[in-house]
Amino acid sequence: GTMESLDRWMDNIPQDLAIMKKAGVRIIRIVFRWRIIELEKGKYKWDVWDKIFEECKKNNIIPYPIVFGTPDWAINPELKKTAHDKVLYFVPEKVEDYTDFLSVAVKRYKSYTPYWEIWNEPYQKLYWWGGTAEDYVKLLKASYKTIKEIDPNLQVIAGCPGEEEIGKKVVKEAYDDFSSYGLPVEFK
């Protein structure tokens, strides 16, 4: 497998995925940017992602989306005032906003992938500004419920290693068995 931000180089997607297929890549972890897809609540821009998922299918590569990146409308305005210029992503003000988006995305793309990673590296403050380990576990559990209600066979993946504070919290509260980054979540 590999990791790629395919949405940034749209013109190259067909050739990039064809090269990956020739190299034997079978799965690709892709950055799936909520903040770009849902610029306004309930209004989605899927064209880029439809192309990515279709090209993956065409090349027999399984996309593995990392769903993160809170859009401006879903960020607490007071929290934004606390950030410095290196902050990349903010914790969503309401978990429901994230799970509403996740539900729509999973229903749209579940035939392309069984994997759904919940946030990217929330143990890094620059990716989870304003959030705590408890906030991440709350988001992870709500996401798990949302995804499993759509299809119990889909896999929910935590975006954090077990040795970090957030990872330890996930292990303590969420996993039956956890030993490394990227294991599917199974709640007790």
Side-chain angles (χ1 to χ4, degrees):
T2 187
M3 160 108 182
E4 185 62 62
S5 295
L6 292 171
D7 60 318
R8 292 193 176 170
W9 299 280
M10 286 302 299
D11 294 338
N12 298 339
I13 290 173
Q15 74 184 32
D16 288 352
L17 288 169
I19 291 167
M20 288 181 208
K21 179 181 179 179
K22 284 182 183 177
V25 172
R26 299 283 299 132
I27 187 166
I28 183 169
R29 189 171 172 253
I30 57 173
V31 177
F32 194 77
R33 301 173 211 279
W34 173 29
R35 72 180 184 179
I36 292 173
I37 298 168
E38 191 180 12
L39 291 171
E40 294 179 55
K41 179 140 180 81
K43 294 183 180 178
Y44 308 100
K45 188 174 179 198
W46 298 113
D47 56 329
V48 169
W49 301 100
D50 288 347
K51 182 175 181 177
I52 290 169
F53 279 83
E54 275 301 316
E55 287 294 329
C56 283
K57 183 178 180 179
K58 201 183 300 183
N59 286 283
N60 204 24
I61 296 173
I62 300 168
Y64 166 160
I66 313 158
V67 185
F68 75 115
T70 309
D72 284 344
W73 61 265
I75 300 168
N76 179 325
E78 293 303 311
L79 180 62
K80 286 188 87 167
K81 293 177 186 176
T82 69
H84 54 79
D85 63 347
K86 301 227 186 290
V87 170
L88 298 171
Y89 301 102
F90 294 83
V91 63
E93 183 173 20
K94 297 177 189 168
V95 168
E96 300 79 28
D97 289 334
Y98 180 87
T99 56
D100 288 349
F101 170 75
L102 185 63
S103 177
V104 174
V106 169
K107 287 174 184 173
R108 187 176 189 93
Y109 297 117
K110 70 179 183 163
S111 66
Y112 295 89
T113 183
Y115 308 112
W116 294 90
E117 184 170 329
I118 308 306
W119 217 264
N120 183 53
E121 301 174 1
Y123 56 90
Q124 300 239 11
K125 293 292 183 198
L126 299 179
Y127 290 116
W128 187 245
W129 190 261
T132 64
E134 291 78 15
D135 293 329
Y136 181 71
V137 169
K138 183 178 174 184
L139 183 79
L140 184 61
K141 286 183 175 185
S143 299
Y144 180 90
K145 183 176 185 266
T146 297
I147 290 170
K148 293 295 187 170
E149 284 175 355
I150 294 167
D151 185 338
N153 297 312
L154 297 176
Q155 301 237 354
V156 182
I157 301 163
C160 57
E163 67 272 5
E164 300 290 340
E165 177 192 351
I166 288 179
K168 288 177 184 175
K169 186 86 171 159
V170 169
V171 170
K172 184 177 178 191
E173 295 191 19
Y175 279 102
D176 290 330
D177 180 24
F178 182 91
S179 61
S180 67
Y181 179 83
L183 290 179
V185 172
E186 290 301 327
F187 288 103
K188 295 178 181 178

